[in-house]
Amino acid sequence: MTHRRTFVVGVLVAALAAASAGCSGDGDAPSGSGSPSPSPAPPPSAGGYAYVKVEFGQSWTDTRSQLIVMDGGEEIGRSDPLFLAGRPLFTSDGRHAFVLPSLLDEIVVISADTGETRSVPCEGCEARQTECHCQVVAPIGGSRIAWLDGENRLVVTDLADAAPTPRPTDVTLPEQDGFLDERVVPNLIAGTEGAALAAYPHGSLPGDDLMPAFLVTPDDEPRRLDPRRPDAIEEAAFSPDGTRVALTGSQEYACTTVTVVDVASGRGETAPVLAAPGTECEGVDAYIDSMWWDPDGSLHVSYEIDEGDTWSQESTAPEQYQRRLHEGRWVDADVGRATEQRQLSAGTATIRGDGTLLVGSGGRQTEIDTDVRYLIAAP
């Protein structure tokens, strides 16, 4: 399993991993340290969130996903079955949840207010292919989302419009030199109010040849950031206030790290997720599955451990699957064996190791669904 995967392969690997977990008999895994016992549905005040449910068929070609939007224990809306949907996102204003099905030039959108589901065209790619830029879409402020077309040009559409229409801007991002004669194209990998982050996740090279990152807005030239990150930039997440952005990614023979960048200055500070500071890894020691900021401003990662890694005598593989950044160092999050636990506006949402989703609020917790792969809290 490699850390950086193409869109379709990444979703497929995730689906197969979830299928394996669902058959492993891990249904009795605790949902968190001191977690309350499941009880009737939590009050609606738990907060809004969205998740992707994966239902497995006889083979991976029969596997289907659904995007579901919730408010506490109340379902707001759900999509029709989709082929291998990826991780869902919310628009910056929280009014729309959206996801991209594999191999389609369309975005599936659910209104968080009404539950209405619709498909929005993601035009500009010219062809349906696994590296299509429109397969990578980011929120960019309000109800707007953005992607890069086949000419590396920023395209924006507003999901609040009655008929959202892709609007190309005058902003274009540069390609980069890759291995031999390869030209590496940019992708938008995260967004916040008024801006998105562009990077080159498919073109990171071994050694010192690292790709840059750019802050992109619809009205100005892209601004190159100088995070001084020692590793590739493959995933990113903006803080709730948009003043910081966390970057992660890996290279061969490197400890997994996260760099937190001050957006104003473009400078960042890097910390290893599992290894002790200054440790050298003989291989990638962990694969980050998800990275997010909770509403209180705390940064979290969920991760998988590479069983083939060689650890130093001073280091052991932790049993936890989630960590949080505390005073510049990563520490275990107090969530037991949960693969992810996220804050909601007035509660928590937790995915257990067997794919069960639970939501807690007011000292109570209830089981919402099973076979859950991806989770995101509404902003």
Side-chain angles (χ1 to χ4, degrees), residues 218-363:
D219 304 315
D220 298 312
E221 288 295 316
R223 177 164 67 91
R224 182 166 177 158
L225 303 181
D226 183 22
R228 298 183 178 178
R229 176 167 170 75
D231 302 315
I233 300 172
E234 299 172 330
E235 308 289 342
F238 281 93
S239 63
D241 62 5
T243 62
R244 293 172 292 168
V245 61
L247 312 176
T248 192
S250 63
Q251 292 182 279
E252 192 175 6
Y253 311 122
C255 303
T256 298
T257 61
V258 171
T259 302
V260 179
V261 180
D262 175 75
V263 173
S265 67
R267 299 299 178 89
E269 295 184 1
T270 300
V273 172
L274 294 181
T279 300
E280 292 187 5
C281 297
E282 296 184 12
V284 177
D285 57 345
Y287 296 99
I288 292 180
D289 184 62
S290 183
M291 180 172 64
W292 72 94
W293 300 79
D294 275 340
D296 63 4
S298 59
L299 179 62
H300 296 254
V301 293
S302 62
Y303 61 90
E304 300 172 5
I305 297 171
D306 187 347
E307 300 294 341
D309 285 339
T310 302
W311 293 77
S312 66
Q313 293 182 354
E314 295 78 23
S315 178
T316 58
E319 296 182 356
Q320 300 291 329
Y321 294 103
Q322 183 172 324
R323 288 198 137 193
R324 62 183 176 87
L325 190 64
H326 176 68
E327 296 180 350
R329 299 188 67 169
W330 289 93
V331 298
D332 290 342
D334 186 19
V335 297
R337 297 280 296 197
T339 59
E340 284 190 29
Q341 184 173 96
R342 300 197 181 209
Q343 289 180 5
L344 305 179
S345 60
T348 59
T350 303
I351 304 179
R352 291 197 317 210
D354 62 350
T356 300
L357 173 64
L358 304 110
V359 169
S361 179

Side-chain angles (χ1 to χ4, degrees), residues 1-336:
M1 179 177 181
T2 59
H3 181 62
R4 185 63 208 174
R5 295 157 284 193
T6 61
F7 183 86
V8 173
V9 174
V11 177
L12 174 58
V13 170
L16 295 178
S20 175
C23 298
S24 65
D26 192 32
D28 295 329
S31 60
S33 177
S35 298
S37 300
S39 62
S45 61
Y49 58 98
Y51 65 93
V52 169
K53 178 182 177 71
V54 180
E55 296 181 343
F56 299 95
Q58 296 298 317
S59 68
W60 68 270
T61 59
D62 300 323
T63 297
R64 293 296 180 267
S65 308
Q66 278 188 299
L67 172 63
I68 302 169
V69 177
M70 302 285 294
D71 183 4
E74 177 185 0
E75 182 176 312
I76 303 301
R78 70 169 60 206
S79 71
D80 292 332
L82 309 169
F83 177 64
L84 295 180
R87 185 175 300 280
L89 292 169
F90 274 98
T91 52
S92 299
D93 58 10
R95 292 181 56 196
H96 306 273
F98 62 96
V99 74
L100 293 123
S102 297
L103 305 180
L104 294 178
D105 291 339
E106 66 181 27
I107 306 157
V108 175
V109 181
I110 298 180
S111 168
D113 298 324
T114 67
E116 177 189 3
T117 301
R118 57 180 172 168
S119 294
V120 175
C122 178
E123 299 173 354
C125 293
E126 310 302 336
R128 299 180 179 184
Q129 52 185 322
T130 58
E131 298 293 341
C132 173
H133 300 183
C134 297
Q135 296 277 10
V136 185
V137 177
I140 200 168
S143 291
R144 296 180 302 166
I145 57 175
W147 62 88
L148 300 176
D149 67 13
E151 302 298 324
N152 305 324
R153 180 175 50 184
L154 184 71
V155 179
V156 177
T157 193
D158 196 331
L159 299 181
D161 293 344
T165 302
R167 298 182 179 90
T169 69
D170 294 329
V171 177
T172 301
L173 282 147
E175 295 184 358
Q176 301 292 325
D177 292 328
F179 183 68
L180 297 178
D181 295 329
E182 180 187 11
R183 299 297 294 169
V184 184
V185 299
N187 282 315
L188 301 185
I189 60 174
T192 187
E193 186 66 35
L197 188 86
Y200 301 80
H202 298 293
S204 300
L205 304 176
D208 298 327
D209 297 325
L210 295 166
M211 297 292 176
F214 289 89
L215 190 71
V216 185
T217 64
D219 304 315
D220 298 312
E221 288 295 316
R223 177 164 67 91
R224 182 166 177 158
L225 303 181
D226 183 22
R228 298 183 178 178
R229 176 167 170 75
D231 302 315
I233 300 172
E234 299 172 330
E235 308 289 342
F238 281 93
S239 63
D241 62 5
T243 62
R244 293 172 292 168
V245 61
L247 312 176
T248 192
S250 63
Q251 292 182 279
E252 192 175 6
Y253 311 122
C255 303
T256 298
T257 61
V258 171
T259 302
V260 179
V261 180
D262 175 75
V263 173
S265 67
R267 299 299 178 89
E269 295 184 1
T270 300
V273 172
L274 294 181
T279 300
E280 292 187 5
C281 297
E282 296 184 12
V284 177
D285 57 345
Y287 296 99
I288 292 180
D289 184 62
S290 183
M291 180 172 64
W292 72 94
W293 300 79
D294 275 340
D296 63 4
S298 59
L299 179 62
H300 296 254
V301 293
S302 62
Y303 61 90
E304 300 172 5
I305 297 171
D306 187 347
E307 300 294 341
D309 285 339
T310 302
W311 293 77
S312 66
Q313 293 182 354
E314 295 78 23
S315 178
T316 58
E319 296 182 356
Q320 300 291 329
Y321 294 103
Q322 183 172 324
R323 288 198 137 193
R324 62 183 176 87
L325 190 64
H326 176 68
E327 296 180 350
R329 299 188 67 169
W330 289 93
V331 298
D332 290 342
D334 186 19
V335 297

